[in-house]
Amino acid sequence: MSEKKTQPAPTLTTKQKQVLKGLAHPLSPVVLIGKEELSPGVIETIKNELINHELIKVKIGSNCGLEKHSSAQKITEQTESSLVQVIGKTIVLYKANPKRAKNKRIILPKAQ
C-alpha cells in the first residue's frame, strides 16, 4: 500500500495574513472541536469546510483538553492548510480551492 504524502501548505506572507485576518473577523466558527478532539471525522469536516469556504474558523471547546497551538499545527499539517492566526481558542485556517482558480472568492496580494 502506498501512503499518501501530505504537501506542506504555501507559507503566507505578513501582508497576506493581514488580508485574511480582516476577512475572517466577521466569520463565525464552522467547526467546533469537543470531547472527541482531533478524530478523523473532525479532520475530514475541516477539510470539507476548507473546500467550501477557503477561509474558516475552528473553535476548540472548553470541554476539550487540547492545547491550542499544538492543535493548530496538527490541523494545518493534516488538512494541508495555512494557519492564519490563533486567537483565544479559535483557529483561523486558509486553503485555496484549486477548482476556483478562475473565479476565486479570496484574492491575496502576490508573495514578493
Side-chain angles (χ1 to χ4, degrees):
M1 265 187 262
S2 64
E3 196 173 301
K4 184 180 177 186
K5 293 196 176 204
T6 57
Q7 295 284 346
T11 305
L12 297 171
T13 65
T14 304
K15 190 71 173 168
Q16 290 171 331
K17 283 185 180 182
Q18 283 178 330
V19 169
L20 291 170
K21 286 176 187 179
L23 293 172
H25 183 73
L27 299 178
S28 297
V30 294
V31 179
L32 177 62
I33 300 174
K35 60 185 174 187
E36 66 183 53
E37 300 185 351
L38 292 179
S39 68
V42 170
I43 296 298
E44 197 59 38
T45 301
I46 294 170
K47 285 180 180 180
N48 290 334
E49 292 300 329
L50 283 165
I51 290 169
N52 292 332
H53 301 287
E54 294 183 336
L55 181 66
I56 65 167
K57 285 184 177 178
V58 177
K59 179 89 170 163
I60 299 175
S62 56
N63 62 341
C64 182
L66 294 175
E67 197 279 320
K68 59 186 177 182
H69 293 288
S70 63
S71 298
Q73 189 64 36
K74 287 178 188 173
I75 292 169
T76 56
E77 289 170 4
Q78 293 179 17
T79 61
E80 300 174 4
S81 61
S82 298
L83 178 64
V84 177
Q85 78 179 112
V86 177
I87 185 161
K89 286 194 159 197
T90 303
I91 302 165
V92 181
L93 302 170
Y94 171 74
K95 183 176 182 180
N97 185 343
K99 293 181 182 173
R100 291 197 186 169
K102 290 184 180 178
N103 55 352
K104 283 188 170 189
R105 283 188 185 182
I106 298 172
I107 299 171
L108 294 176
K110 298 278 185 211
Q112 304 265 329

